[in-house]
């Protein structure tokens, strides 16, 4: 090293006449506290910096940062664009003006892009580190260090693992390591649980018992997940990817809904949903109880289930069925989510509060509900229902294509739908509904089994105990069923024919 | 003229599509345009000031797709390219191509 040729001394006036915003005189001052994430001393572009002489002696403490390096870069990228002398030819002559962005996310993205375009690749945190103070659109920009959180980067892009979740991860890791198939995550105070945490559960393989004289046999995995006594608000969707899951307890959580994709858990034998905030269950669980699955134990106690009184409907009771069945009338919607029937399901709390009048169940009369009475049409018009098993409407196709967009783009579309007045009003809700349905595994028609984007009919069936299924005695459990067209309704429902004249004598 | 078997749909950037009248009539909006004393009804030419050519092309494709499959079952779903799906959604909403109960005049 000592033999290396020494560079000739550089002229006293350095080459920063290219439009740097800073006067060189300032550079002679002791360097401001560096915000560099690197602990290396600055040796590249400021070799000629006289202040470097005092580098070691300066009261400079090594900064410590928590987190990953790219988090730091995210915040600092704009600095280097503005400040790096070596590459500031473009920037310096026309300083980049950061318009206040509508969304912080967009802002970050833009800064990032410029960072990539202009930066020489050697990042020197240094003298100009304070330049961006006015540029970052955050009112609480600290002097030198902008944390990603303050740039309002959405938490999803920078996942932060809560304490409870990291505890859960440890437990899962242990289970995977020792082949323990009983994953006990109970009482950890989990508010949510991410897909990354859950995914390793699928890797649990039982350690087969090897006994002399007994032929080796690979044991089938038989995974049990205990998630009781937590605060989960949403069903962890990634659980449905664990195919060998046979036992799942979510007792005493804050679940309000069970997604339809639970139908994928074909091996599930026991499902405990007691002490949650569920109002109804998806029809897919019914399918798991029947031929489609192995579910034999379903605990449903202590949930605010919909009851006949709460829904205030004229019930249809079909005694002929081996399993006694009470059914609500059918709710008819269009693909915009507008409801055409008098009967409405209280899918939001506000609706539920409104429906106060309670009708008594007419057990004796399984009255056939004639749909024309349920549906209100414009006067004098004739109705032609779309062919239920045929082509869908263009609206639905387009909606379906939209839900396939990657998540960030979908968010952007959702944002614009909310901001721009030019879009139809209900479109945003429809899109959200469709996106939710897509996320939770998609909807399938309860009647014809086709996949669909938005339900066009909805009704609730109340099921009681059947022979093999032990449903708790106290209540009938409501199962929400959905249909993909106005013809996809329970069997006894009468639907107006295509050419049928509408009841003009409707009184 | 107004009884021609075909009608012309014009996008705002000037693309023209000649469509079977019967197929296009599944759109409530187009039906309303072709009824009564509007210019469209006389010339059989509907101009859409908000729909781009590629989007209108997909709409026309849907008209024919629907027309061809109207009485069939188990129809394969139509494929929608992702890049125009939002515009198409808007167009479908504008043209009344969603599955709300459709009104039909028997005249």
């Amino acid at each position: 090293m000592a033999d290396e040729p020494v560079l000739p001394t550089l002229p006293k006036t350095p080459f920063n006449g290219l439009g740097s915003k800073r006067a060189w005189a300032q550079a002679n001052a002791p360097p401001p506290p560096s915000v560099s994430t690197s602990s290396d001393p600055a040796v590249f572009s400021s070799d000629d910096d006289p202040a470097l002489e005092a580098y070691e002696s300066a009261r400079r403490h090594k900064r410590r940062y928590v987190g990953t390096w790219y988090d730091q870069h995210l915040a600092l990228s704009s600095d280097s664009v503005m400040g790096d002398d070596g590459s500031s030819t473009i920037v310096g002559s026309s300083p980049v003006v950061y318009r206040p962005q509508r969304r912080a996310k967009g802002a970050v993205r833009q800064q990032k892009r410029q960072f990539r375009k202009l930066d020489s690749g050697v990042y020197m945190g240094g003298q100009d580190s304070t330049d961006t103070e006015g540029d970052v659109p955050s009112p609480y920009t600290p002097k030198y260090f902008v944390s990603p959180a303050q740039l309002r980067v959405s938490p999803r892009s920078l996942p932060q693992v809560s304490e409870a979740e990291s505890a859960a991860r440890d437990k899962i890791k242990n289970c995977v390591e020792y082949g323990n198939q009983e994953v006990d995550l109970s009482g950890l105070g989990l508010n949510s649980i991410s897909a990354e945490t859950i995914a390793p559960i699928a890797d649990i393989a039982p350690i087969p018992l090897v006994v002399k004289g007994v032929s080796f046999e690979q044991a089938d995995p038989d995974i049990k997940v205990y998630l009781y006594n937590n605060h989960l608000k949403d069903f962890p969707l990634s659980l449905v990817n664990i195919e060998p899951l046979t036992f799942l307890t979510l007792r005493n959580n804050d679940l309000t809904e069970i997604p339809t994709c639970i139908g994928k858990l074909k091996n599930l034998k026991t499902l405990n949903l007691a002490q949650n905030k569920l109002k109804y269950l998806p029809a897919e669980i019914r399918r798991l109880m029947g031929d489609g699955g192995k579910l034999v134990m379903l605990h449903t106690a202590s949930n605010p289930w919909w009851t006949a009184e709460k829904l205030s409907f004229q019930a249809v009771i079909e005694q002929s069925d081996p399993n006694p069945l009470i059914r609500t009338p059918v709710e008819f919607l269009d693909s915009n989510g507008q409801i055409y029937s008098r009967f409405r399901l209280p899918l939001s709390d506000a609706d539920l509060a409104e429906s106060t009048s309670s009708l008594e169940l007419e057990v004796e009369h399984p009255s056939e509900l004639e749909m024309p009475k349920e549906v209100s049409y414009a006067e004098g018009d004739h109705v032609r229902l779309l062919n239920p098993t045929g082509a869908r409407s263009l609206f639905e196709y387009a909606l379906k294509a939209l839900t396939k967009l990657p998540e960030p783009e979908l968010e952007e579309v959702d944002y614009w739908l909310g901001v721009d007045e030019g879009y139809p009003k209900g479109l945003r809700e429809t899109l959200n509904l469709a996106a939710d349905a897509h996320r939770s595994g998609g909807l399938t028609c309860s009647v014809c089994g086709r996949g669909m984007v938005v339900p066009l009919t909805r009704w609730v069936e109340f099921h009681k105990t059947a022979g093999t299924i032990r449903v708790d005695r106290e209540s009938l459990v409501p199962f929400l069923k959905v249909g993909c067209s106005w013809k996809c309704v329970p069997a006894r429902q009468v639907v107006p024919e295509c050419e049928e004249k509408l009841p003009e004598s409707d009184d | 003229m107004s009884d021609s078997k075909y009608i012309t749909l014009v996008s705002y950037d000037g693309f023209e599509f000649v469509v079977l009248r019967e197929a296009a009539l599944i759109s409530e909006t187009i039906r309303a345009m072709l009824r009564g004393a509007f210019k469209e009804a006389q010339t059989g030419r509907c101009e859409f000031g908000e729909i781009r050519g590629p989007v209108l092309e997909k709409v026309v494709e849907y008209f024919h797709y629907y027309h061809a499959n109207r009485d069939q079952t188990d129809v394969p779903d139509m494929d929608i390219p992702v890049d125009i799906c939002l515009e198409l959604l808007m167009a479908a909403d504008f043209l009344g191509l969603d599955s709300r109960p459709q009104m039909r005049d028997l005249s």
Side-chain angles (χ1 to χ4, degrees), chain A residues 360-392:
Chain A
E360 286 189 18
L361 294 181
E362 287 180 40
V363 188
E364 298 300 317
H365 309 287
S367 58
E368 304 226 337
L369 298 169
E370 304 235 343
M371 209 193 81
K373 285 180 189 162
E374 289 289 318
V375 188
S376 53
Y377 301 104
E379 243 177 85
D381 274 318
H382 294 264
V383 173
R384 186 178 58 118
L385 292 170
L386 290 170
N387 185 355
T389 52
R392 291 283 161 74

Side-chain angles (χ1 to χ4, degrees), chain B residues 47-59:
Chain B
E47 294 184 20
F48 298 101
E50 287 159 345
I51 304 179
R52 279 197 310 133
V55 180
L56 192 62
E57 185 190 6
K58 206 74 194 171
V59 171

Side-chain angles (χ1 to χ4, degrees), chain A residues 53 225 330:
Chain A
E53 309 290 89
V225 174
V330 179

Side-chain angles (χ1 to χ4, degrees), chain A residues 103-155:
Chain A
R103 300 181 90 188
K105 220 173 141 196
V108 170
R109 195 180 296 158
Q110 190 174 345
Q111 285 177 5
K112 239 192 200 163
R113 207 171 291 147
Q114 281 169 335
F115 170 74
R116 283 182 188 149
K117 198 164 59 189
L118 298 170
D119 194 80
S120 61
V122 181
Y123 170 63
M124 308 298 304
Q127 47 191 25
D128 286 339
S129 59
T130 55
D131 270 2
T132 48
E133 265 196 289
D135 298 320
V136 178
S138 163
Y140 13 79
T141 312
K143 214 156 184 198
Y144 298 118
F145 175 66
V146 185
S147 80
Q150 275 151 332
L151 276 170
R152 285 175 287 162
V153 177
S154 78

Side-chain angles (χ1 to χ4, degrees), chain A residues 175-176 179-183 198-206 220-226 239 241-248 267-270:
Chain A
C175 287
V176 174
N180 181 4
Q181 301 192 68
E182 303 202 351
V183 185
I198 283 179
I201 296 180
D203 297 336
I204 295 177
D220 287 327
D222 174 23
I223 294 173
K224 301 179 176 179
V225 174
Y226 302 85
L239 273 179
N241 298 324
I242 305 168
E243 222 193 300
L245 190 68
T246 57
F247 183 99
L248 175 63
N267 291 312
L268 197 64
K269 287 180 188 138
T270 308

